[in-house]
Amino acid sequence: MTTLLSESPMTFVPVGSMASQATRAAPAMERLSLAHIQALFDLPFNDLMFQAQTVHREHFNPSEVQLSTLLSIKTGGCPEDCAYCPQSVHHDTGVDATKLMDVDEVRQAASAAKAQGASRFCMGAAWRELHERDVDKVAALIGVVKDLGMEACCTLGMLTSSQANTLKAAGLDYYNHNLDTAPELYGDIISTRVYQDRLDTLQHVRQAGMHVCSGGIVGMGESRAQRAGLIHQLANLDPYPESVPINHLVHVEGTPLATTQALDVFEFVRTIAVARITMPTARVRLSAGRQEMGDGIQALCFMAGANSIFYGDKLLTTGNPDWARDQALLSSLDIQTV
Ligand code: SAM
Ligand code: DTB
Ligand code: SF4
């Protein structure tokens, strides 16, 4: 059986010739090879689950899940053309564009999330990049969340290095910026930016001293090799992200991916397990798509090493199980929350 249990996030293993991967935006030195990650995906399901659970138990209490609540602080009207996203101006999805929320709206939503047990509050904006005119407004929103004693996370599109420093100074703990898919598929999904733009922003977030939240979407018509390619990119970030959201594509009418064939659910579970094994100390978040998944598959995801969820009845524009439903699910699985 392939085993990666002893590899530490900071240990770099030179991998002979990298020529075949020179065009894949892979770092010159990588911790885990693409072949290793593909071999994990190809394991018999029960062997993969066993390995994922073993790694999970080495680093976490397997009966503990972290709760993050999302709020869309600026919805719709985004100039990017991400094929999965209901908030792009390029797709007719019926999502109306809003203005940036004010501090009172955010305080109210964050207080409610805290009262329900969320430890982190994540604010998302449908922007290509953060504009200078919005930096102080966002900094004030971060202040509101920090004053409530919660961890703060933002996802606002691309950041410059100095903007990342400003958000860090405002108290931001995490910045979410997903790589979303394998490098070679990226151009088929998004034409208005390139993979390197994402990697640059992640670098700015790291240099500012914030925690990185970065993951992707599964079920966009990619191959297993491309799912491995996404994990390969994430796991070879130096260091790898502290938080790794694995989203199942939400099929939204009006987006180009609305009619994409549904993925075998066990491939989704496998992706969670491989993320757990390759990024052992990360919080792996079972993210979008839970509403369509059913309790049994969610339980399998927790067994595969997922230990965080988005908690609250809405993601950004689409639905999520409500608080009561999640409390009942977690309680029936004897899962404690942090
Ligand atoms: N505009 C910023 C950006 O793209 O980084 C922040 C908000 S954007 C909506 C955040 C993430 O939501 C995307 O990177 C993608 O992973 C996820 N997302 C968007 N639409 C989705 C969908 N239909 N299904 C699953 N995840 C989705
Ligand atoms: C992430 O990885 N998933 C969240 C959060 N980070 C921002 C967003 C999911 C969005 C799903 C589609 C929607 O609700 O618009
Ligand atoms: Fe805009 Fe982000 Fe949606 Fe892409 S994923 S269209 S950048 S809001």
Side-chain angles (χ1 to χ4, degrees):
M1 196 199 308
T2 306
T3 180
L4 297 166
L5 301 184
S6 60
E7 302 203 38
S8 100
M10 302 304 292
T11 307
F12 274 73
V13 182
V15 285
S17 167
M18 292 295 298
S20 64
Q21 292 176 21
T23 55
R24 294 184 47 96
M29 304 274 272
E30 59 178 10
R31 189 171 65 88
L32 296 173
S33 72
L34 184 58
H36 244 116
I37 294 171
Q38 277 178 329
L40 286 172
F41 268 95
D42 291 343
L43 282 172
F45 186 79
N46 284 331
D47 291 343
L48 175 60
M49 292 293 278
F50 178 71
Q51 198 173 142
Q53 288 183 28
T54 306
V55 172
H56 193 189
R57 283 162 186 270
E58 279 172 9
H59 299 280
F60 291 99
N61 173 349
S63 295
E64 185 193 278
V65 163
Q66 184 273 332
L67 305 178
S68 290
T69 294
L70 269 174
L71 177 68
S72 181
I73 57 171
K74 195 274 163 221
T75 305
C78 183
E80 300 281 70
D81 67 356
C82 312
Y84 46 78
C85 186
Q87 304 198 69
S88 165
V89 285
H90 301 269
H91 319 318
D92 190 8
T93 60
V95 170
D96 293 326
T98 67
K99 289 198 305 187
L100 181 61
M101 278 187 185
D102 63 32
V103 286
D104 291 334
E105 290 171 283
V106 168
R107 188 178 298 109
Q108 207 179 353
S111 303
K114 185 181 176 181
Q116 293 294 335
S119 57
R120 190 176 309 159
F121 195 69
C122 307
M123 296 175 277
W127 287 327
R128 169 182 166 77
E129 68 236 309
L130 178 58
H131 288 291
E132 282 303 311
R133 61 175 181 267
D134 293 316
V135 173
D136 289 346
K137 294 180 205 164
V138 170
L141 301 181
I142 293 166
V144 164
V145 174
K146 295 309 294 175
D147 286 349
L148 288 168
M150 301 178 84
E151 288 181 320
C153 177
C154 280
T155 182
L156 314 166
M158 291 183 257
L159 291 186
T160 65
S161 174
S162 88
Q163 288 171 340
N165 290 335
T166 305
L167 297 183
K168 166 72 180 168
L172 191 62
D173 299 291
Y174 286 80
Y175 195 78
N176 166 247
H177 201 65
N178 292 337
L179 292 180
D180 278 323
T181 193
E184 66 271 21
L185 189 62
Y186 205 72
D188 292 347
I189 305 286
I190 300 152
S191 77
T192 48
R193 59 171 186 263
V194 294
Y195 216 70
Q196 190 59 45
D197 292 329
R198 298 305 264 189
L199 295 170
D200 289 347
T201 291
L202 291 178
Q203 182 73 5
H204 298 154
V205 171
R206 257 301 164 230
Q207 278 169 355
M210 285 185 281
H211 295 308
V212 168
C213 174
S214 189
I217 309 179
V218 181
M220 297 196 290
E222 75 285 342
S223 62
R224 178 180 278 184
Q226 289 167 333
R227 284 186 281 283
L230 166 67
I231 301 293
H232 178 238
Q233 290 293 322
L234 294 167
N236 282 300
L237 292 173
D238 178 18
Y240 60 72
E242 285 79 12
S243 168
V244 180
I246 304 293
N247 295 276
H248 191 296
L249 176 71
V250 180
H251 295 80
V252 179
E253 211 180 315
T255 62
L257 297 187
T259 55
T260 306
Q261 198 185 348
L263 180 78
D264 171 4
V265 286
F266 300 117
E267 277 297 310
F268 183 81
V269 179
R270 277 181 198 268
T271 309
I272 298 261
V274 175
R276 164 54 61 222
I277 294 164
T278 56
M279 294 172 274
T281 63
R283 283 270 168 201
V284 175
R285 184 170 308 114
L286 167 54
S287 300
R290 288 198 301 120
Q291 207 167 34
E292 296 75 23
M293 217 170 267
D295 290 354
I297 298 299
Q298 291 187 64
L300 266 186
C301 290
F302 295 132
M303 290 173 71
N307 61 355
S308 175
I309 55 171
F310 285 125
Y311 177 62
D313 62 3
K314 212 168 170 194
L315 292 166
L316 293 173
T317 65
T318 65
N320 197 44
D322 65 25
W323 281 320
R325 195 181 157 92
D326 274 342
Q327 283 161 9
L329 172 65
L330 296 174
S331 157
S332 68
L333 298 174
D334 304 307
I335 288 176
Q336 312 295 314
T337 57
V338 290

